[in-house]
């Protein structure tokens, strides 16, 4: 899945969607939240990367980012 030019795009979009939905329910940050990501293709990789960037979620440290990132 995802974009051939930007393989992380679909995963990033999933996180942005989640963040916006949480804001609608009064949750203003994903910091400290726990996420479960299934699989580790381009979509999961982009999702984990963006969650880590936005939420600084230390619980994701045992998941690996693609080589070279």
């Amino acid at each position: 899945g995802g974009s051939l030019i930007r393989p992380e795009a679909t995963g990033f979009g999933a996180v942005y969607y989640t963040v916006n939905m949480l804001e609608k329910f009064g949750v203003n940050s994903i910091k400290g939240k726990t996420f479960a990501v299934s699989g580790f293709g381009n979509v999961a990789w982009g999702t984990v990367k963006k969650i880590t960037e936005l939420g600084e979620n230390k619980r994701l440290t045992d998941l690996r980012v693609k080589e070279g990132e």
Side-chain angles (χ1 to χ4, degrees):
S3 168
L4 294 177
I5 298 170
R6 291 184 47 231
E8 71 280 3
T10 303
F12 282 19
V15 175
Y16 290 133
Y17 175 81
T18 301
V19 167
N20 282 308
M21 288 304 298
L22 289 171
E23 287 174 352
K24 297 281 185 196
F25 289 98
V27 178
N28 295 318
S29 174
I30 65 169
K31 289 185 181 186
K33 304 296 184 277
T34 301
F35 293 86
V37 178
S38 178
F40 206 76
N42 287 341
V43 176
W45 162 68
T47 301
V48 170
K49 184 174 179 179
K50 187 51 68 178
I51 288 170
T52 302
E53 288 173 6
L54 294 179
E56 303 172 23
N57 195 320
K58 304 304 182 204
R59 293 184 184 111
L60 296 173
T61 56
D62 59 326
L63 296 176
R64 291 174 180 81
V65 175
K66 277 187 171 180
E67 191 172 320
E69 289 296 316

